[in-house]
Amino acid sequence: NAGVTQTPKFQVLKTGQSMTLQCAQDMNHEYMSWYRQDPGMGLRLIHYSVGAGITDQGEVPNGYNVSRSTTEDFPLRLLSAAPSQTSVYFCASSYTASGGARDEQFFGPGTRLTVL
Amino acid sequence: SQKIEQNSEALNIQEGKTATLTCNYTNYSPAYLQWYRQDPGRGPVFLLLIRENEKEKRKERLKVTFDTTLKQSLFHITASQPADSATYLCASNTGNQFYFGTGTSLTVIP
């Protein structure tokens, strides 16, 4: 199993540009999520999905869109990049998020994004 | 709103000693707490989960406790080794949303 994969590893954007961060998992997990990690702020949830066709907002959703057309893929779209979106982005997946042992999250390697 | 807090100060300990990291939660009662390890430039890796009705959980040199009265979880690494140096995160979820602490950076000095 490849686990959770993310592309690209690094990206530099100019203010106003759009892009999509890709995330895929091959563990047949129902739950997938996107986080951003900033110094001193920890991991903050952007969007999550409890299954194909179902997405919802997390703690910091503004400026980001997601979709979940398949169980495997959960792309994150930046609509119009801003310097405040400079961060490290992690995708994660788990079997569930229902309060039990199957909530163990598997993380991808991260995407380091810089917006100039 | 619910919050998970960890001591943001870095923790330095001598090899062979026990490291103890703290995770406090406020404004909610999590059904469980998770602990993750994160190395520089990498994604977090799951270590342990402890449920609210479990006082203590062990895995090799790791031990986690959950005190619902103090609203606190303690994470212990016994016989610490330089390879244990990393940032350790605690997390929980409520309503399908996961919340993470800011992490505590641990350095084990040879």
Side-chain angles (χ1 to χ4, degrees), chain A residues 31 35 37 40-43 45 48 50 57-59 90 94 96-101 103-105 107-109, chain B residues 31-32 34 36 38 41-46 49 51 87 89 91 93-103:
Chain A
Y31 185 90
Y35 297 87
Q37 188 172 39
M41 301 292 289
L43 284 161
L45 183 66
Y48 65 95
V50 297
Q57 297 180 351
E59 189 182 354
F90 288 101
S94 60
T96 63
S98 56
D103 287 7
E104 170 188 346
Q105 291 200 83
F107 283 81
Chain B
Y32 66 78
Q34 297 177 330
Y36 290 79
Q38 186 174 24
R42 306 188 74 132
V45 174
F46 174 82
L49 177 151
R51 293 185 176 82
T87 296
L89 309 169
N93 85 334
T94 177
N96 288 327
Q97 297 203 34
F98 284 88
Y99 296 92
F100 282 80
T102 53

mmCIF file of all heavy atoms in Angstrom, chain A residues 31 35 37 40-43 45 48 50 57-59 90 94 96-101 103-105 107-109, chain B residues 31-32 34 36 38 41-46 49 51 87 89 91 93-103:
data_model
loop_
_atom_site.group_PDB
_atom_site.id
_atom_site.type_symbol
_atom_site.label_atom_id
_atom_site.label_comp_id
_atom_site.label_asym_id
_atom_site.label_seq_id
_atom_site.Cartn_x
_atom_site.Cartn_y
_atom_site.Cartn_z
ATOM 1 N N TYR A 31 -13.131 8.385 5.703
ATOM 2 C CA TYR A 31 -12.905 9.742 6.177
ATOM 3 C C TYR A 31 -11.601 10.285 5.613
ATOM 4 O O TYR A 31 -10.555 9.632 5.693
ATOM 5 C CB TYR A 31 -12.854 9.745 7.708
ATOM 6 C CG TYR A 31 -12.746 11.113 8.333
ATOM 7 C CD1 TYR A 31 -13.886 11.842 8.665
ATOM 8 C CD2 TYR A 31 -11.513 11.680 8.608
ATOM 9 C CE1 TYR A 31 -13.800 13.093 9.247
ATOM 10 C CE2 TYR A 31 -11.410 12.931 9.180
ATOM 11 C CZ TYR A 31 -12.554 13.632 9.514
ATOM 12 O OH TYR A 31 -12.468 14.882 10.092
ATOM 13 N N TYR A 35 -5.542 19.579 6.370
ATOM 14 C CA TYR A 35 -5.090 20.455 7.443
ATOM 15 C C TYR A 35 -4.052 21.422 6.885
ATOM 16 O O TYR A 35 -3.344 21.109 5.934
ATOM 17 C CB TYR A 35 -4.428 19.665 8.569
ATOM 18 C CG TYR A 35 -5.320 18.699 9.277
ATOM 19 C CD1 TYR A 35 -5.492 17.405 8.806
ATOM 20 C CD2 TYR A 35 -5.986 19.065 10.436
ATOM 21 C CE1 TYR A 35 -6.311 16.511 9.459
ATOM 22 C CE2 TYR A 35 -6.802 18.168 11.105
ATOM 23 C CZ TYR A 35 -6.957 16.898 10.611
ATOM 24 O OH TYR A 35 -7.773 16.010 11.276
ATOM 25 N N GLN A 37 -0.704 23.570 8.563
ATOM 26 C CA GLN A 37 0.117 23.638 9.760
ATOM 27 C C GLN A 37 1.001 24.867 9.687
ATOM 28 O O GLN A 37 1.822 24.987 8.774
ATOM 29 C CB GLN A 37 0.971 22.380 9.928
ATOM 30 C CG GLN A 37 1.706 22.324 11.262
ATOM 31 C CD GLN A 37 2.388 20.983 11.499
ATOM 32 O OE1 GLN A 37 2.947 20.385 10.579
ATOM 33 N NE2 GLN A 37 2.330 20.498 12.731
ATOM 34 N N GLY A 40 3.440 27.630 15.576
ATOM 35 C CA GLY A 40 2.725 28.110 16.752
ATOM 36 C C GLY A 40 1.219 27.903 16.726
ATOM 37 O O GLY A 40 0.543 28.196 17.701
ATOM 38 N N MET A 41 0.694 27.408 15.582
ATOM 39 C CA MET A 41 -0.769 27.259 15.459
ATOM 40 C C MET A 41 -1.187 25.796 15.449
ATOM 41 O O MET A 41 -2.352 25.484 15.584
ATOM 42 C CB MET A 41 -1.263 27.919 14.164
ATOM 43 C CG MET A 41 -0.962 29.390 14.064
ATOM 44 S SD MET A 41 -1.909 30.337 15.247
ATOM 45 C CE MET A 41 -3.546 30.211 14.575
ATOM 46 N N GLY A 42 -0.266 24.915 15.242
ATOM 47 C CA GLY A 42 -0.636 23.511 15.176
ATOM 48 C C GLY A 42 -1.371 23.178 13.893
ATOM 49 O O GLY A 42 -1.453 23.984 12.955
ATOM 50 N N LEU A 43 -1.936 22.002 13.855
ATOM 51 C CA LEU A 43 -2.711 21.539 12.704
ATOM 52 C C LEU A 43 -4.136 22.074 12.825
ATOM 53 O O LEU A 43 -4.789 21.864 13.846
ATOM 54 C CB LEU A 43 -2.754 20.017 12.669
ATOM 55 C CG LEU A 43 -1.487 19.311 12.204
ATOM 56 C CD1 LEU A 43 -1.508 17.857 12.653
ATOM 57 C CD2 LEU A 43 -1.379 19.389 10.696
ATOM 58 N N LEU A 45 -7.930 22.150 10.886
ATOM 59 C CA LEU A 45 -8.744 21.455 9.903
ATOM 60 C C LEU A 45 -9.353 22.441 8.914
ATOM 61 O O LEU A 45 -10.013 23.414 9.304
ATOM 62 C CB LEU A 45 -9.843 20.667 10.620
ATOM 63 C CG LEU A 45 -10.769 19.823 9.775
ATOM 64 C CD1 LEU A 45 -10.006 18.679 9.114
ATOM 65 C CD2 LEU A 45 -11.900 19.257 10.643
ATOM 66 N N TYR A 48 -13.247 18.479 5.442
ATOM 67 C CA TYR A 48 -13.210 17.049 5.615
ATOM 68 C C TYR A 48 -14.342 16.390 4.845
ATOM 69 O O TYR A 48 -15.283 17.067 4.395
ATOM 70 C CB TYR A 48 -13.270 16.665 7.100
ATOM 71 C CG TYR A 48 -14.560 17.035 7.796
ATOM 72 C CD1 TYR A 48 -15.594 16.103 7.907
ATOM 73 C CD2 TYR A 48 -14.742 18.300 8.346
ATOM 74 C CE1 TYR A 48 -16.768 16.428 8.557
ATOM 75 C CE2 TYR A 48 -15.910 18.637 8.993
ATOM 76 C CZ TYR A 48 -16.919 17.698 9.107
ATOM 77 O OH TYR A 48 -18.091 18.034 9.745
ATOM 78 N N VAL A 50 -16.702 12.603 4.915
ATOM 79 C CA VAL A 50 -16.993 11.321 5.575
ATOM 80 C C VAL A 50 -17.324 10.220 4.561
ATOM 81 O O VAL A 50 -17.654 9.099 4.954
ATOM 82 C CB VAL A 50 -18.136 11.451 6.606
ATOM 83 C CG1 VAL A 50 -17.730 12.403 7.720
ATOM 84 C CG2 VAL A 50 -19.414 11.908 5.928
ATOM 85 N N GLN A 57 -17.134 21.751 6.054
ATOM 86 C CA GLN A 57 -16.102 22.705 6.426
ATOM 87 C C GLN A 57 -15.518 22.385 7.792
ATOM 88 O O GLN A 57 -16.223 21.941 8.686
ATOM 89 C CB GLN A 57 -16.696 24.117 6.451
ATOM 90 C CG GLN A 57 -17.186 24.594 5.115
ATOM 91 C CD GLN A 57 -17.762 25.995 5.182
ATOM 92 O OE1 GLN A 57 -17.949 26.552 6.262
ATOM 93 N NE2 GLN A 57 -18.028 26.580 4.029
ATOM 94 N N GLY A 58 -14.232 22.675 7.915
ATOM 95 C CA GLY A 58 -13.582 22.562 9.205
ATOM 96 C C GLY A 58 -13.444 23.916 9.862
ATOM 97 O O GLY A 58 -14.281 24.802 9.686
ATOM 98 N N GLU A 59 -12.342 24.083 10.546
ATOM 99 C CA GLU A 59 -12.106 25.285 11.343
ATOM 100 C C GLU A 59 -11.738 26.499 10.498
ATOM 101 O O GLU A 59 -12.112 27.636 10.814
ATOM 102 C CB GLU A 59 -10.971 24.968 12.324
ATOM 103 C CG GLU A 59 -10.704 25.994 13.400
ATOM 104 C CD GLU A 59 -9.517 25.575 14.268
ATOM 105 O OE1 GLU A 59 -8.997 24.453 14.098
ATOM 106 O OE2 GLU A 59 -9.113 26.391 15.104
ATOM 107 N N PHE A 90 -1.378 19.276 4.922
ATOM 108 C CA PHE A 90 -1.386 17.833 5.090
ATOM 109 C C PHE A 90 -2.771 17.277 4.790
ATOM 110 O O PHE A 90 -3.786 17.822 5.229
ATOM 111 C CB PHE A 90 -1.018 17.440 6.522
ATOM 112 C CG PHE A 90 0.428 17.657 6.855
ATOM 113 C CD1 PHE A 90 0.821 18.762 7.578
ATOM 114 C CD2 PHE A 90 1.391 16.744 6.446
ATOM 115 C CE1 PHE A 90 2.156 18.974 7.897
ATOM 116 C CE2 PHE A 90 2.732 16.940 6.749
ATOM 117 C CZ PHE A 90 3.107 18.065 7.473
ATOM 118 N N SER A 94 -8.753 8.243 7.497
ATOM 119 C CA SER A 94 -8.989 7.236 8.528
ATOM 120 C C SER A 94 -10.224 6.441 8.132
ATOM 121 O O SER A 94 -11.035 6.890 7.309
ATOM 122 C CB SER A 94 -9.162 7.870 9.913
ATOM 123 O OG SER A 94 -10.259 8.754 9.940
ATOM 124 N N THR A 96 -12.804 5.881 10.031
ATOM 125 C CA THR A 96 -13.966 6.598 10.544
ATOM 126 C C THR A 96 -13.505 7.844 11.303
ATOM 127 O O THR A 96 -12.312 8.074 11.469
ATOM 128 C CB THR A 96 -14.766 5.730 11.523
ATOM 129 O OG1 THR A 96 -13.936 5.430 12.661
ATOM 130 C CG2 THR A 96 -15.233 4.440 10.878
ATOM 131 N N ALA A 97 -14.483 8.603 11.787
ATOM 132 C CA ALA A 97 -14.233 9.693 12.737
ATOM 133 C C ALA A 97 -15.332 9.632 13.783
ATOM 134 O O ALA A 97 -15.898 10.642 14.173
ATOM 135 C CB ALA A 97 -14.221 11.031 12.022
ATOM 136 N N SER A 98 -15.637 8.411 14.207
ATOM 137 C CA SER A 98 -16.834 8.227 15.032
ATOM 138 C C SER A 98 -16.530 7.999 16.495
ATOM 139 O O SER A 98 -17.424 7.655 17.259
ATOM 140 C CB SER A 98 -17.623 7.032 14.486
ATOM 141 O OG SER A 98 -16.803 5.881 14.455
ATOM 142 N N GLY A 99 -15.272 8.170 16.882
ATOM 143 C CA GLY A 99 -14.973 8.091 18.309
ATOM 144 C C GLY A 99 -14.409 6.770 18.767
ATOM 145 O O GLY A 99 -14.578 6.401 19.916
ATOM 146 N N GLY A 100 -13.726 6.060 17.896
ATOM 147 C CA GLY A 100 -13.177 4.773 18.307
ATOM 148 C C GLY A 100 -11.806 4.511 17.729
ATOM 149 O O GLY A 100 -11.177 5.403 17.180
ATOM 150 N N ALA A 101 -11.388 3.262 17.861
ATOM 151 C CA ALA A 101 -10.038 2.897 17.444
ATOM 152 C C ALA A 101 -9.828 3.065 15.950
ATOM 153 O O ALA A 101 -8.708 3.228 15.486
ATOM 154 C CB ALA A 101 -9.746 1.452 17.849
ATOM 155 N N ASP A 103 -10.462 5.532 14.282
ATOM 156 C CA ASP A 103 -10.242 6.942 13.970
ATOM 157 C C ASP A 103 -8.776 7.272 13.775
ATOM 158 O O ASP A 103 -8.435 8.434 13.540
ATOM 159 C CB ASP A 103 -10.781 7.825 15.095
ATOM 160 C CG ASP A 103 -12.303 7.877 15.116
ATOM 161 O OD1 ASP A 103 -12.925 7.129 14.341
ATOM 162 O OD2 ASP A 103 -12.845 8.671 15.897
ATOM 163 N N GLU A 104 -7.891 6.292 13.905
ATOM 164 C CA GLU A 104 -6.467 6.552 13.701
ATOM 165 C C GLU A 104 -6.265 7.189 12.335
ATOM 166 O O GLU A 104 -6.690 6.644 11.316
ATOM 167 C CB GLU A 104 -5.670 5.253 13.763
ATOM 168 C CG GLU A 104 -4.215 5.389 13.331
ATOM 169 C CD GLU A 104 -3.512 4.063 13.220
ATOM 170 O OE1 GLU A 104 -4.049 3.059 13.731
ATOM 171 O OE2 GLU A 104 -2.421 4.021 12.614
ATOM 172 N N GLN A 105 -5.632 8.337 12.305
ATOM 173 C CA GLN A 105 -5.447 9.050 11.040
ATOM 174 C C GLN A 105 -4.077 8.744 10.455
ATOM 175 O O GLN A 105 -3.077 8.708 11.169
ATOM 176 C CB GLN A 105 -5.606 10.551 11.254
ATOM 177 C CG GLN A 105 -7.027 10.948 11.576
ATOM 178 C CD GLN A 105 -7.260 12.416 11.313
ATOM 179 O OE1 GLN A 105 -7.521 12.850 10.206
ATOM 180 N NE2 GLN A 105 -7.151 13.203 12.354
ATOM 181 N N PHE A 107 -1.421 10.213 7.721
ATOM 182 C CA PHE A 107 -1.110 11.482 7.076
ATOM 183 C C PHE A 107 -0.229 11.290 5.854
ATOM 184 O O PHE A 107 0.622 10.383 5.808
ATOM 185 C CB PHE A 107 -0.395 12.420 8.050
ATOM 186 C CG PHE A 107 -1.301 13.064 9.050
ATOM 187 C CD1 PHE A 107 -1.700 12.389 10.190
ATOM 188 C CD2 PHE A 107 -1.776 14.352 8.841
ATOM 189 C CE1 PHE A 107 -2.543 12.984 11.117
ATOM 190 C CE2 PHE A 107 -2.613 14.962 9.754
ATOM 191 C CZ PHE A 107 -3.002 14.270 10.897
ATOM 192 N N GLY A 108 -0.415 12.175 4.891
ATOM 193 C CA GLY A 108 0.488 12.245 3.750
ATOM 194 C C GLY A 108 1.749 13.001 4.130
ATOM 195 O O GLY A 108 1.860 13.515 5.246
ATOM 196 N N PRO A 109 2.694 13.108 3.196
ATOM 197 C CA PRO A 109 3.983 13.750 3.483
ATOM 198 C C PRO A 109 3.918 15.274 3.511
ATOM 199 O O PRO A 109 4.878 15.917 3.945
ATOM 200 C CB PRO A 109 4.880 13.264 2.346
ATOM 201 C CG PRO A 109 3.934 12.979 1.236
ATOM 202 C CD PRO A 109 2.666 12.490 1.864
ATOM 203 N N ALA B 31 -14.288 11.732 23.910
ATOM 204 C CA ALA B 31 -14.444 10.299 24.166
ATOM 205 C C ALA B 31 -13.085 9.605 24.199
ATOM 206 O O ALA B 31 -12.947 8.537 24.786
ATOM 207 C CB ALA B 31 -15.326 9.677 23.086
ATOM 208 N N TYR B 32 -12.112 10.207 23.572
ATOM 209 C CA TYR B 32 -10.763 9.639 23.576
ATOM 210 C C TYR B 32 -9.764 10.737 23.257
ATOM 211 O O TYR B 32 -10.137 11.823 22.797
ATOM 212 C CB TYR B 32 -10.642 8.505 22.563
ATOM 213 C CG TYR B 32 -10.784 8.959 21.128
ATOM 214 C CD1 TYR B 32 -9.731 9.584 20.458
ATOM 215 C CD2 TYR B 32 -11.964 8.768 20.432
ATOM 216 C CE1 TYR B 32 -9.853 10.008 19.154
ATOM 217 C CE2 TYR B 32 -12.100 9.199 19.131
ATOM 218 C CZ TYR B 32 -11.037 9.818 18.493
ATOM 219 O OH TYR B 32 -11.164 10.244 17.198
ATOM 220 N N GLN B 34 -5.881 11.028 21.188
ATOM 221 C CA GLN B 34 -4.862 10.357 20.392
ATOM 222 C C GLN B 34 -3.534 11.077 20.583
ATOM 223 O O GLN B 34 -3.509 12.285 20.832
ATOM 224 C CB GLN B 34 -5.220 10.414 18.901
ATOM 225 C CG GLN B 34 -6.484 9.718 18.512
ATOM 226 C CD GLN B 34 -6.789 9.902 17.025
ATOM 227 O OE1 GLN B 34 -6.441 10.914 16.427
ATOM 228 N NE2 GLN B 34 -7.435 8.921 16.421
ATOM 229 N N TYR B 36 0.255 11.561 18.565
ATOM 230 C CA TYR B 36 0.986 11.396 17.317
ATOM 231 C C TYR B 36 2.416 11.890 17.510
ATOM 232 O O TYR B 36 2.682 12.764 18.327
ATOM 233 C CB TYR B 36 0.347 12.231 16.190
ATOM 234 C CG TYR B 36 -0.991 11.743 15.721
ATOM 235 C CD1 TYR B 36 -2.156 12.023 16.456
ATOM 236 C CD2 TYR B 36 -1.119 11.011 14.546
ATOM 237 C CE1 TYR B 36 -3.390 11.569 16.028
ATOM 238 C CE2 TYR B 36 -2.353 10.562 14.101
ATOM 239 C CZ TYR B 36 -3.479 10.851 14.854
ATOM 240 O OH TYR B 36 -4.705 10.407 14.420
ATOM 241 N N GLN B 38 5.576 13.641 15.236
ATOM 242 C CA GLN B 38 5.883 14.298 13.970
ATOM 243 C C GLN B 38 7.369 14.644 13.926
ATOM 244 O O GLN B 38 7.878 15.349 14.789
ATOM 245 C CB GLN B 38 5.046 15.567 13.775
ATOM 246 C CG GLN B 38 5.258 16.189 12.401
ATOM 247 C CD GLN B 38 4.332 17.356 12.131
ATOM 248 O OE1 GLN B 38 3.829 18.000 13.049
ATOM 249 N NE2 GLN B 38 4.079 17.636 10.860
ATOM 250 N N GLY B 41 9.619 18.024 8.691
ATOM 251 C CA GLY B 41 9.396 17.824 7.267
ATOM 252 C C GLY B 41 8.524 16.636 6.916
ATOM 253 O O GLY B 41 8.419 16.286 5.734
ATOM 254 N N ARG B 42 7.890 16.026 7.894
ATOM 255 C CA ARG B 42 7.070 14.844 7.637
ATOM 256 C C ARG B 42 5.690 15.007 8.257
ATOM 257 O O ARG B 42 5.464 15.863 9.107
ATOM 258 C CB ARG B 42 7.753 13.602 8.190
ATOM 259 C CG ARG B 42 9.182 13.427 7.693
ATOM 260 C CD ARG B 42 9.743 12.127 8.108
ATOM 261 N NE ARG B 42 9.164 11.043 7.330
ATOM 262 C CZ ARG B 42 9.873 10.096 6.761
ATOM 263 N NH1 ARG B 42 11.182 10.110 6.863
ATOM 264 N NH2 ARG B 42 9.299 9.126 6.102
ATOM 265 N N GLY B 43 4.771 14.154 7.826
ATOM 266 C CA GLY B 43 3.439 14.170 8.410
ATOM 267 C C GLY B 43 3.423 13.441 9.748
ATOM 268 O O GLY B 43 4.278 12.607 10.032
ATOM 269 N N PRO B 44 2.438 13.766 10.600
ATOM 270 C CA PRO B 44 2.324 13.075 11.897
ATOM 271 C C PRO B 44 2.067 11.580 11.705
ATOM 272 O O PRO B 44 1.454 11.152 10.728
ATOM 273 C CB PRO B 44 1.109 13.752 12.544
ATOM 274 C CG PRO B 44 0.994 15.074 11.864
ATOM 275 C CD PRO B 44 1.445 14.831 10.461
ATOM 276 N N VAL B 45 2.540 10.813 12.701
ATOM 277 C CA VAL B 45 2.336 9.364 12.702
ATOM 278 C C VAL B 45 1.647 8.983 14.011
ATOM 279 O O VAL B 45 2.087 9.376 15.095
ATOM 280 C CB VAL B 45 3.680 8.619 12.577
ATOM 281 C CG1 VAL B 45 3.464 7.117 12.723
ATOM 282 C CG2 VAL B 45 4.343 8.931 11.238
ATOM 283 N N PHE B 46 0.583 8.227 13.903
ATOM 284 C CA PHE B 46 -0.209 7.815 15.060
ATOM 285 C C PHE B 46 0.604 6.915 15.985
ATOM 286 O O PHE B 46 1.318 6.020 15.532
ATOM 287 C CB PHE B 46 -1.454 7.070 14.579
ATOM 288 C CG PHE B 46 -2.280 6.471 15.679
ATOM 289 C CD1 PHE B 46 -3.183 7.248 16.376
ATOM 290 C CD2 PHE B 46 -2.146 5.132 16.011
ATOM 291 C CE1 PHE B 46 -3.954 6.695 17.389
ATOM 292 C CE2 PHE B 46 -2.901 4.573 17.018
ATOM 293 C CZ PHE B 46 -3.804 5.348 17.708
ATOM 294 N N LEU B 49 -3.967 5.592 21.252
ATOM 295 C CA LEU B 49 -5.277 6.161 21.535
ATOM 296 C C LEU B 49 -5.696 5.685 22.912
ATOM 297 O O LEU B 49 -5.518 4.512 23.246
ATOM 298 C CB LEU B 49 -6.286 5.706 20.475
ATOM 299 C CG LEU B 49 -7.746 6.135 20.617
ATOM 300 C CD1 LEU B 49 -8.394 6.243 19.239
ATOM 301 C CD2 LEU B 49 -8.551 5.171 21.488
ATOM 302 N N ARG B 51 -9.090 5.869 25.596
ATOM 303 C CA ARG B 51 -10.490 6.250 25.748
ATOM 304 C C ARG B 51 -10.726 6.858 27.125
ATOM 305 O O ARG B 51 -9.977 6.617 28.069
ATOM 306 C CB ARG B 51 -11.387 5.040 25.550
ATOM 307 C CG ARG B 51 -11.365 4.503 24.147
ATOM 308 C CD ARG B 51 -12.374 3.367 23.972
ATOM 309 N NE ARG B 51 -12.419 2.901 22.606
ATOM 310 C CZ ARG B 51 -11.558 2.035 22.097
ATOM 311 N NH1 ARG B 51 -10.596 1.545 22.826
ATOM 312 N NH2 ARG B 51 -11.658 1.661 20.838
ATOM 313 N N THR B 87 8.491 16.082 17.620
ATOM 314 C CA THR B 87 7.365 16.827 18.183
ATOM 315 C C THR B 87 6.214 15.861 18.381
ATOM 316 O O THR B 87 5.922 15.039 17.511
ATOM 317 C CB THR B 87 6.938 17.969 17.245
ATOM 318 O OG1 THR B 87 8.008 18.907 17.152
ATOM 319 C CG2 THR B 87 5.702 18.682 17.790
ATOM 320 N N LEU B 89 2.169 15.359 19.293
ATOM 321 C CA LEU B 89 0.888 16.051 19.203
ATOM 322 C C LEU B 89 -0.198 15.225 19.864
ATOM 323 O O LEU B 89 -0.224 14.000 19.720
ATOM 324 C CB LEU B 89 0.486 16.245 17.733
ATOM 325 C CG LEU B 89 1.507 16.865 16.787
ATOM 326 C CD1 LEU B 89 1.037 16.732 15.342
ATOM 327 C CD2 LEU B 89 1.692 18.333 17.120
ATOM 328 N N ALA B 91 -4.507 14.852 20.095
ATOM 329 C CA ALA B 91 -5.649 15.183 19.246
ATOM 330 C C ALA B 91 -6.888 14.462 19.747
ATOM 331 O O ALA B 91 -6.805 13.440 20.433
ATOM 332 C CB ALA B 91 -5.381 14.781 17.796
ATOM 333 N N ASN B 93 -11.481 14.235 18.624
ATOM 334 C CA ASN B 93 -12.471 14.697 17.664
ATOM 335 C C ASN B 93 -13.815 14.876 18.327
ATOM 336 O O ASN B 93 -14.089 14.328 19.387
ATOM 337 C CB ASN B 93 -12.553 13.776 16.449
ATOM 338 C CG ASN B 93 -13.468 12.588 16.675
ATOM 339 O OD1 ASN B 93 -13.671 12.153 17.798
ATOM 340 N ND2 ASN B 93 -14.032 12.067 15.605
ATOM 341 N N THR B 94 -14.622 15.691 17.694
ATOM 342 C CA THR B 94 -15.991 15.868 18.115
ATOM 343 C C THR B 94 -16.805 16.183 16.866
ATOM 344 O O THR B 94 -16.402 17.038 16.064
ATOM 345 C CB THR B 94 -16.121 16.981 19.176
ATOM 346 O OG1 THR B 94 -17.488 17.152 19.503
ATOM 347 C CG2 THR B 94 -15.544 18.290 18.703
ATOM 348 N N GLY B 95 -17.878 15.478 16.667
ATOM 349 C CA GLY B 95 -18.701 15.733 15.497
ATOM 350 C C GLY B 95 -17.971 15.648 14.177
ATOM 351 O O GLY B 95 -18.128 16.491 13.313
ATOM 352 N N ASN B 96 -17.148 14.661 13.992
ATOM 353 C CA ASN B 96 -16.386 14.431 12.757
ATOM 354 C C ASN B 96 -15.241 15.407 12.531
ATOM 355 O O ASN B 96 -14.608 15.385 11.477
ATOM 356 C CB ASN B 96 -17.286 14.464 11.507
ATOM 357 C CG ASN B 96 -18.174 13.258 11.412
ATOM 358 O OD1 ASN B 96 -17.789 12.177 11.817
ATOM 359 N ND2 ASN B 96 -19.368 13.459 10.900
ATOM 360 N N GLN B 97 -14.993 16.311 13.459
ATOM 361 C CA GLN B 97 -13.882 17.245 13.306
ATOM 362 C C GLN B 97 -12.787 16.897 14.305
ATOM 363 O O GLN B 97 -13.048 16.754 15.500
ATOM 364 C CB GLN B 97 -14.344 18.674 13.532
ATOM 365 C CG GLN B 97 -15.372 19.132 12.517
ATOM 366 C CD GLN B 97 -15.408 20.640 12.380
ATOM 367 O OE1 GLN B 97 -14.389 21.308 12.498
ATOM 368 N NE2 GLN B 97 -16.590 21.176 12.105
ATOM 369 N N PHE B 98 -11.564 16.806 13.792
ATOM 370 C CA PHE B 98 -10.429 16.537 14.645
ATOM 371 C C PHE B 98 -9.778 17.850 15.073
ATOM 372 O O PHE B 98 -9.659 18.791 14.287
ATOM 373 C CB PHE B 98 -9.393 15.683 13.916
ATOM 374 C CG PHE B 98 -9.770 14.239 13.792
ATOM 375 C CD1 PHE B 98 -10.516 13.796 12.718
ATOM 376 C CD2 PHE B 98 -9.389 13.326 14.758
ATOM 377 C CE1 PHE B 98 -10.874 12.458 12.597
ATOM 378 C CE2 PHE B 98 -9.732 11.986 14.658
ATOM 379 C CZ PHE B 98 -10.478 11.558 13.575
ATOM 380 N N TYR B 99 -9.355 17.884 16.333
ATOM 381 C CA TYR B 99 -8.646 19.044 16.875
ATOM 382 C C TYR B 99 -7.303 18.578 17.406
ATOM 383 O O TYR B 99 -7.228 17.566 18.101
ATOM 384 C CB TYR B 99 -9.460 19.688 18.007
ATOM 385 C CG TYR B 99 -10.768 20.251 17.536
ATOM 386 C CD1 TYR B 99 -11.927 19.482 17.557
ATOM 387 C CD2 TYR B 99 -10.853 21.554 17.047
ATOM 388 C CE1 TYR B 99 -13.136 19.992 17.111
ATOM 389 C CE2 TYR B 99 -12.057 22.074 16.607
ATOM 390 C CZ TYR B 99 -13.194 21.287 16.641
ATOM 391 O OH TYR B 99 -14.384 21.793 16.188
ATOM 392 N N PHE B 100 -6.277 19.333 17.046
ATOM 393 C CA PHE B 100 -4.915 19.001 17.467
ATOM 394 C C PHE B 100 -4.361 20.073 18.382
ATOM 395 O O PHE B 100 -4.659 21.266 18.216
ATOM 396 C CB PHE B 100 -3.988 18.893 16.247
ATOM 397 C CG PHE B 100 -4.121 17.607 15.493
ATOM 398 C CD1 PHE B 100 -5.158 17.410 14.598
ATOM 399 C CD2 PHE B 100 -3.197 16.589 15.669
ATOM 400 C CE1 PHE B 100 -5.288 16.222 13.906
ATOM 401 C CE2 PHE B 100 -3.306 15.398 14.984
ATOM 402 C CZ PHE B 100 -4.349 15.212 14.099
ATOM 403 N N GLY B 101 -3.528 19.653 19.319
ATOM 404 C CA GLY B 101 -2.736 20.601 20.078
ATOM 405 C C GLY B 101 -1.599 21.115 19.215
ATOM 406 O O GLY B 101 -1.344 20.603 18.116
ATOM 407 N N THR B 102 -0.903 22.128 19.709
ATOM 408 C CA THR B 102 0.190 22.723 18.943
ATOM 409 C C THR B 102 1.450 21.877 18.979
ATOM 410 O O THR B 102 2.378 22.118 18.215
ATOM 411 C CB THR B 102 0.528 24.132 19.456
ATOM 412 O OG1 THR B 102 0.754 24.054 20.862
ATOM 413 C CG2 THR B 102 -0.612 25.095 19.179
ATOM 414 N N GLY B 103 1.478 20.861 19.862
ATOM 415 C CA GLY B 103 2.631 19.972 19.910
ATOM 416 C C GLY B 103 3.687 20.419 20.900
ATOM 417 O O GLY B 103 3.817 21.606 21.208
#
